[in-house]
Amino acid sequence: MVFALVGLVVLALLGAVHRYLWRRFVGDTTAPGSPLRRAGTVAAFVLPLLSVGAMTSGRVGAPFWLQQVLAWPGFLWLACLLYLTLALLVGEVVRPVLLRVLAGRDRKAATAESGAPSATPSGASSVPPSGTLVEVPEETRPRTEELVPSRSAGTSDAAVRTATEPQAEPETEATTGPEAEPSTGPDKEPAPNPAEAPPALAPNPSRRLFVSRVVGGAAAAAGLATVGYGTYGVLRGPSVRRITVPLAKLPRAAHGFRIAVVSDIHIGPILGRAHTRRIVDTINRTSPDLVAVVGDLVDGSVADLGSAAEPLAALRARHGSFFVTGNHEYFSGAEQWVDHVRELGLHPLENARVEIEGFDLAGVNDVAGETEGQGPDFVKALGDRDRGRAAVLLAHQPVVIHDAVEHGVDLQLSGHTHGGQLWPGNLLAELANPTVAGLERYGDTQLFVSRGAGAWGPPVRVGAPSDITVVELASRQA
């Protein structure tokens, strides 16, 4: 029941966000019935369906080819949805400012036009058409007593009109009379014929439409460019980071021991064999003493992804490569993947421990395995060891750090968080994990969290570039 309610809330939220995007990118910028509006409306329905299909096809056992077809557009659209929405929200702040600026500019232009003197062409009559009332300035208006006798002598209105008629200018009669012919003098131009006037130009887009298109275009450019750059970063492959971690119990002989930590490779419908090969080549170039694969290797079954994982057999390290499960291994069958990586030459640590030169290397199953009775067992992995030796623990999720502290672990190596993967996802990751990325200390135990070498869902990273970290152990006795 709770799961159904959460699903309904998520679907309602997705619907509201898509409606908002349609309004700003399509409804506010295109004409009703136009091809662009039709195309935008179709996309507003098709793209979310592709995203739902990408997220559910693997869980419902859809054919792998169908998962691949849906994954690229469906997951990429989720990333676009996030950054287009964020860009539009920024645009909501800019929109009223632009409208105010443009309105002010229009007011200034209108004021300048109304204040400018009207230019009359040379020789053109300034007398209005007959029957039109014209306000004449007081200082230029002739006094009536200068033209006609006073009406007090009993002069009728007709007499007044008769007296005033001789004062009218002949040109006025010529230009305003119903039978008047247009003047054809050298300084006169024929009056334009309305029937021959050029057709009126189409009006420019309104101020609001202009602003909607500017803001929408800028938001689309910013959002899509962000997703494009983040996709390029994932497909390019992880970079190499190097950190030095001093351990109080590490003997001098183990000083400088290098562990290549890689997590969250996420081989799947999008990131396949070529992705695995890039990671293996990058690790081998660092010449590590030991390789630690700390979970979330795959997003699918061995039947679908076994061949994509085969390049892991080429990993080279003096003390070998070790593997612990992540939560995603349990989505598709952790046991089959444990067996498969063993066939590829990796050493699974299922709540187990091995002795390396100068320290103990332990590994625990992911907490997701608890639903199958295969969760982490710290007593089995660490309970009977010599606490005088340094201990390095491989555990996929950082949340088990408190168990590591309790069992005297010196260094825990984890992944799971992706560093947030898509900003501002790091803010959400901080709510669920003690450390999102990097090295932090908890009591006598240090915790290092890798941002991961791949990506889950959208093959996009923003603000959290993928990496492989070479952890160099340092002895305080050196």
Side-chain angles (χ1 to χ4, degrees), residues 414-473:
S414 299
H416 183 64
T417 68
H418 296 209
Q421 184 169 328
L422 297 171
W423 183 92
N426 58 304
L427 303 179
L428 297 177
E430 289 176 358
L431 299 177
N433 298 276
T435 298
V436 174
L439 183 68
E440 291 187 356
R441 177 177 289 275
Y442 294 83
D444 293 330
T445 302
Q446 297 180 79
L447 169 63
F448 174 76
V449 180
S450 169
R451 289 194 296 251
W456 179 79
V460 182
R461 281 179 173 266
V462 177
S466 56
D467 64 45
I468 294 167
T469 303
V470 177
V471 178
E472 182 173 335
L473 305 181

Side-chain angles (χ1 to χ4, degrees), residues 46-98:
V46 172
L47 290 173
L49 291 178
L50 289 174
S51 296
V52 173
M55 291 186 291
T56 60
S57 58
R59 302 292 181 88
V60 300
F64 189 65
W65 66 265
L66 180 59
Q67 296 179 40
Q68 291 177 303
V69 168
L70 294 173
W72 269 106
F75 282 124
L76 273 179
W77 172 243
L78 288 178
C80 292
L81 182 69
L82 171 63
Y83 290 106
L84 289 174
T85 302
L86 292 176
L88 281 178
L89 292 177
V90 174
E92 298 298 345
V93 178
V94 177
R95 185 185 305 271
V97 176
L98 284 178

Side-chain angles (χ1 to χ4, degrees), residues 242-278:
R242 298 177 186 272
I243 64 171
T244 299
V245 180
L247 300 181
K249 301 175 186 176
L250 190 71
R252 182 192 299 268
H255 179 76
F257 192 97
R258 290 169 299 150
I259 303 174
V261 181
V262 59
S263 74
D264 302 280
I265 297 175
H266 285 289
I267 304 169
I270 293 179
L271 302 175
R273 187 183 182 96
H275 173 63
T276 310
R277 169 58 62 187
R278 281 192 296 269

Side-chain angles (χ1 to χ4, degrees), residues 173-204:
E173 294 179 4
T175 57
T176 61
E179 301 297 329
E181 294 294 334
S183 173
T184 57
D187 56 346
K188 304 287 185 178
E189 294 182 0
N193 186 349
E196 299 177 358
L201 297 176
N204 292 329

Side-chain angles (χ1 to χ4, degrees), residues 44-315:
F45 284 95
V46 172
L47 290 173
L49 291 178
L50 289 174
S51 296
V52 173
M55 291 186 291
T56 60
S57 58
R59 302 292 181 88
V60 300
F64 189 65
W65 66 265
L66 180 59
Q67 296 179 40
Q68 291 177 303
V69 168
L70 294 173
W72 269 106
F75 282 124
L76 273 179
W77 172 243
L78 288 178
C80 292
L81 182 69
L82 171 63
Y83 290 106
L84 289 174
T85 302
L86 292 176
L88 281 178
L89 292 177
V90 174
E92 298 298 345
V93 178
V94 177
R95 185 185 305 271
V97 176
L98 284 178
L99 287 171
R100 192 173 296 111
V101 169
L102 293 177
R105 188 183 66 178
D106 291 347
R107 282 195 298 269
K108 289 181 180 179
T111 301
E113 290 178 3
S114 63
S118 58
T120 303
S122 174
S125 173
S126 61
V127 179
S130 61
T132 303
L133 297 178
V134 178
E135 184 69 21
V136 180
E138 183 66 29
E139 59 272 14
T140 61
R141 185 182 305 164
R143 291 193 298 271
T144 303
E145 58 271 18
E146 296 178 359
L147 302 176
V148 297
S150 172
R151 291 187 58 182
S152 60
T155 308
S156 64
D157 291 342
V160 173
R161 287 195 297 269
T162 302
T164 58
E165 283 176 0
Q167 302 300 322
E169 296 183 5
E171 185 180 351
T172 302
E173 294 179 4
T175 57
T176 61
E179 301 297 329
E181 294 294 334
S183 173
T184 57
D187 56 346
K188 304 287 185 178
E189 294 182 0
N193 186 349
E196 299 177 358
L201 297 176
N204 292 329
S206 68
R207 185 188 310 140
R208 187 171 298 276
L209 177 61
F210 173 75
V211 170
S212 294
R213 288 177 174 175
V214 169
V215 173
L224 296 179
T226 300
V227 172
Y229 182 76
T231 304
Y232 168 74
V234 171
L235 298 182
R236 178 185 56 191
S239 59
V240 175
R241 298 178 61 205
R242 298 177 186 272
I243 64 171
T244 299
V245 180
L247 300 181
K249 301 175 186 176
L250 190 71
R252 182 192 299 268
H255 179 76
F257 192 97
R258 290 169 299 150
I259 303 174
V261 181
V262 59
S263 74
D264 302 280
I265 297 175
H266 285 289
I267 304 169
I270 293 179
L271 302 175
R273 187 183 182 96
H275 173 63
T276 310
R277 169 58 62 187
R278 281 192 296 269
I279 291 172
V280 170
D281 291 344
T282 301
I283 292 174
N284 288 342
R285 283 195 295 268
T286 67
S287 301
D289 296 306
L290 183 148
V291 177
V293 182
V294 288
D296 278 7
L297 172 65
V298 294
D299 286 312
S301 65
V302 172
D304 293 331
L305 299 173
S307 61
E310 287 178 356
L312 293 173
L315 285 170

Side-chain angles (χ1 to χ4, degrees), residues 283-347:
I283 292 174
N284 288 342
R285 283 195 295 268
T286 67
S287 301
D289 296 306
L290 183 148
V291 177
V293 182
V294 288
D296 278 7
L297 172 65
V298 294
D299 286 312
S301 65
V302 172
D304 293 331
L305 299 173
S307 61
E310 287 178 356
L312 293 173
L315 285 170
R316 297 289 179 264
R318 185 160 59 97
H319 291 277
S321 302
F322 294 83
F323 168 80
V324 292
T325 58
N327 55 307
H328 281 248
E329 273 72 55
Y330 293 94
F331 296 157
S332 54
E335 289 186 9
Q336 61 176 318
W337 277 110
V338 168
D339 293 339
H340 190 64
V341 299
R342 185 180 286 114
E343 293 173 359
L344 296 175
L346 281 73
H347 306 287

